[in-house]
């Protein structure tokens, strides 16, 4: 490391320490962490709602599954761009105020999606979802260290990211159920209400969170110089692209390969989410000790589950698919917290810049996965989607094994 880079890292750590101490003196703790978990739940549910609604959306708007999947693709692309840009544009503004404003944007976006009379208006709504999501996730992901004592940072980070898994447990299955009962308008309208409630919770429960130093473009680029950061981002790109290439089209796959009906699909998505919630906390504890070890397990298990879906789905029907879905959910539930822990350990003095890059790559990978999965679904059918997702997960496993991991693997709060 050069003297310039070392000085930059030291100044970053010093600024982060002052911000952390300020946040703790004014509040925080478990209620604030819980509000951030609710925020991650809301943004991920908003983003993923079309997964369980692909069939109703296609039926109501008279479009193919691949075209309906663009509602996920556009959201991921916008979130990927907005995460670093919004982080820089908000400068030193109070992060509590910024988060509340972004949640309000999500509420408006879901209302527009509920109204949308055609796919063009729906895509505009999904652009707004991407704006809100990218900003919320980039800011919320690194706030645990400013809200709780150092000994509780790992557990608080897992709790914040439990909102991601809870979105699969409650949000996506509930949206699927509401879509079956009242159509996609009912599902998007209910999500708008949830966004409004979470915005109020953030305003009430978060302490003031002014940022002592604004994130600058040169700071974001400086983070990219670290080999462990680059390895982490490659890993995220491969693993998340592979997962979403397959998961975006999990409903058509379950229908075609395993012969699952609408009610069974809701149950299977619930099983995926419950397993994911468990995987989040298991992986959070493991990643706090060694992100590389945790991610080697996650990548291997996820790749195996996706590749086995056609075999067990056809051979054992719905029970076989249920087993694969549960194992898949257990593995994917740990992806967000483990990869975030990797990047926080790789750039301890630039948490928000690293989070912005993480969210950008993560959501770009969601968009790419949804797009690639759509092309595979339209061209190769359900089995092709699974093979594509599994191959990319294997690539992620290789990246973890041969790439550079953080030297200091256990993240800690700056003193």
């Amino acid at each position: 490391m050069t003297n310039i880079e070392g000085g930059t890292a030291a100044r970053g750590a010093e600024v982060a320490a002052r911000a952390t101490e300020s946040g703790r003196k004014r509040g925080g703790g478990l209620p604030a962490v819980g509000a951030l978990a609710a925020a991650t739940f809301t943004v991920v549910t908003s983003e993923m709602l079309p997964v369980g609604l692909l069939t109703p959306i296609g039926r109501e708007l008279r479009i193919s599954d691949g075209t309906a999947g663009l509602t996920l693709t556009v959201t991921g692309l916008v979130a990927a761009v907005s995460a670093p840009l919004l982080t820089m544009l908000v400068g030193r503004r109070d992060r509590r105020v910024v988060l509340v404003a972004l949640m309000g944007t999500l509420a408006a976006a879901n209302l527009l999606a509920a109204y949308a009379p055609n796919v063009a208006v729906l895509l505009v709504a999904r652009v707004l979802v991407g704006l809100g999501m990218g900003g919320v996730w980039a800011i919320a992901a690194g706030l645990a260290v400013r809200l709780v004592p150092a000994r509780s940072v790992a557990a608080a980070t897992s709790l914040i990211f439990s909102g991601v898994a809870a979105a699969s447990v409650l949000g996506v299955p509930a949206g699927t159920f509401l879509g079956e009962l009242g159509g996609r308008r009912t599902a998007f309208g209910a999500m708008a209400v949830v966004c409004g409630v979470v915005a109020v919770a953030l305003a009430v429960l978060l302490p003031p969170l002014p940022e002592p130093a604004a994130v600058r473009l040169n700071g974001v680029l400086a983070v990219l110089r670290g080999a462990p950061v680059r390895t982490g981002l490659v890993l995220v790109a491969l693993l998340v692209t592979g997962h979403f290439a397959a998961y975006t089209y999990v409903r058509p796959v379950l229908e075609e390969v395993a012969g699952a009906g609408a009610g069974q699909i809701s149950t299977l998505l619930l099983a995926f989410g419950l397993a994911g919630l468990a995987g989040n906390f298991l992986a959070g504890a493991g990643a706090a000790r060694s992100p590389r070890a945790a991610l080697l397990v996650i990548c291997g298990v996820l790749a195996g589950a996706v590749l086995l879906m056609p075999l067990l789905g056809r051979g054992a029907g719905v029970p076989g698919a249920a087993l694969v879905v549960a194992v898949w959910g257990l593995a994917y539930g740990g992806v967000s917290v483990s990869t975030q822990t990797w990047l926080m350990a790789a750039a301890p003095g630039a948490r928000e810049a690293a989070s912005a890059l993480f969210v950008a790559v993560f959501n770009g990978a969601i968009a790419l996965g949804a797009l690639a999965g759509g092309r595979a679904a339209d061209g190769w059918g359900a089995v092709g989607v699974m093979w594509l997702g599994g191959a990319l997960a294997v690539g992620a496993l290789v990246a973890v094994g041969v790439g550079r991991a953080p030297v200091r693997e256990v993240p800690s709060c700056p003193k």
Side-chain angles (χ1 to χ4, degrees):
M1 177 182 290
T2 67
N3 291 336
I4 293 175
E5 289 172 332
T8 300
R11 286 193 297 273
E14 182 181 350
V15 168
R18 289 199 300 268
T20 298
E21 187 63 25
S22 174
R24 288 189 191 141
K25 286 180 178 178
R26 300 186 185 187
L30 186 59
V33 172
L36 291 176
T40 60
F41 165 82
T42 305
V43 297
V44 173
T45 301
S46 294
E47 180 187 28
M48 297 305 302
L49 207 53
V51 169
L53 298 174
L54 279 184
T55 301
I57 289 172
R59 183 173 59 242
E60 291 182 30
L61 300 181
R62 299 180 180 179
I63 54 179
S64 70
D65 285 342
T67 302
L70 290 175
T71 59
L72 196 64
T73 301
V74 71
T75 300
L77 286 173
V78 173
V81 175
S82 67
L85 288 181
L86 286 175
T87 302
M88 290 184 284
L89 288 174
V90 297
R92 298 174 58 187
R93 290 179 179 83
D94 189 332
R95 275 16 184 186
R96 178 180 64 174
V97 174
V98 173
L99 286 171
V100 171
L102 290 170
M103 289 305 303
T105 301
L106 279 167
N110 280 297
L111 280 177
L112 182 59
Y115 158 77
N118 54 54
V119 69
V121 175
L122 181 59
L123 288 174
V124 170
R126 299 297 294 173
V127 167
L128 292 176
V129 170
L131 286 172
M133 179 191 171
V136 169
W137 198 345
I139 293 170
L143 286 181
V145 73
R146 298 183 61 182
L147 298 172
V148 298
R151 64 182 181 277
S152 302
V153 168
T157 300
S158 293
L159 181 57
I160 290 172
F161 279 98
S162 72
V164 177
S168 298
V169 175
L170 299 174
V172 175
T176 303
F177 179 71
L178 289 174
E180 293 297 329
L181 286 181
R184 51 99 183 174
R185 296 181 190 274
T186 301
F188 283 118
M191 197 65 244
V193 174
V194 174
C195 290
V197 171
V198 173
V200 173
L202 290 170
V204 172
L205 297 175
L206 285 181
L209 293 167
E211 190 68 20
V215 175
R216 302 295 184 193
L217 179 60
N218 59 353
V220 175
L221 295 177
V223 170
L224 280 172
R225 296 192 188 108
V229 171
R230 294 196 300 271
T231 297
L233 294 177
V234 169
L235 156 66
V236 170
L238 289 169
L239 187 57
V240 177
T241 299
H243 167 75
F244 279 96
Y247 185 67
T248 300
Y249 299 92
V250 70
R251 178 169 182 157
V253 168
L254 291 171
E255 290 171 339
E256 295 172 20
V257 173
Q264 291 172 318
I265 288 172
S266 296
T267 303
L268 289 172
L269 290 177
L270 177 61
F272 179 95
L274 288 171
L277 191 59
N280 173 79
F281 288 103
L282 287 173
R289 295 188 294 271
S290 173
R292 189 200 291 273
L295 283 161
L296 282 171
V297 174
I298 287 169
C299 293
V301 174
L302 194 150
V306 173
L307 291 171
L308 284 172
M309 173 66 84
L311 178 64
L312 289 182
R314 284 177 174 164
V318 174
L323 175 62
V324 174
V325 165
V327 174
W328 185 354
L330 184 69
Y332 185 72
V335 169
S336 297
V337 67
S338 296
T339 50
Q340 178 75 18
T341 299
W342 177 300
L343 287 167
M344 293 298 96
R351 292 188 306 272
E352 200 163 274
S355 290
L357 288 171
F358 168 72
V359 176
V361 173
F362 200 106
N363 285 281
I366 290 174
L368 180 59
L371 181 62
R375 302 290 72 78
D378 288 345
W380 303 336
V383 174
V385 172
M386 294 296 105
W387 284 117
L388 175 62
L392 289 168
V394 170
L397 178 64
V398 173
V400 177
V402 304
R404 182 80 64 84
V407 175
R408 184 183 181 188
E409 293 204 339
V410 181
S412 63
C413 173
K415 302 298 182 185

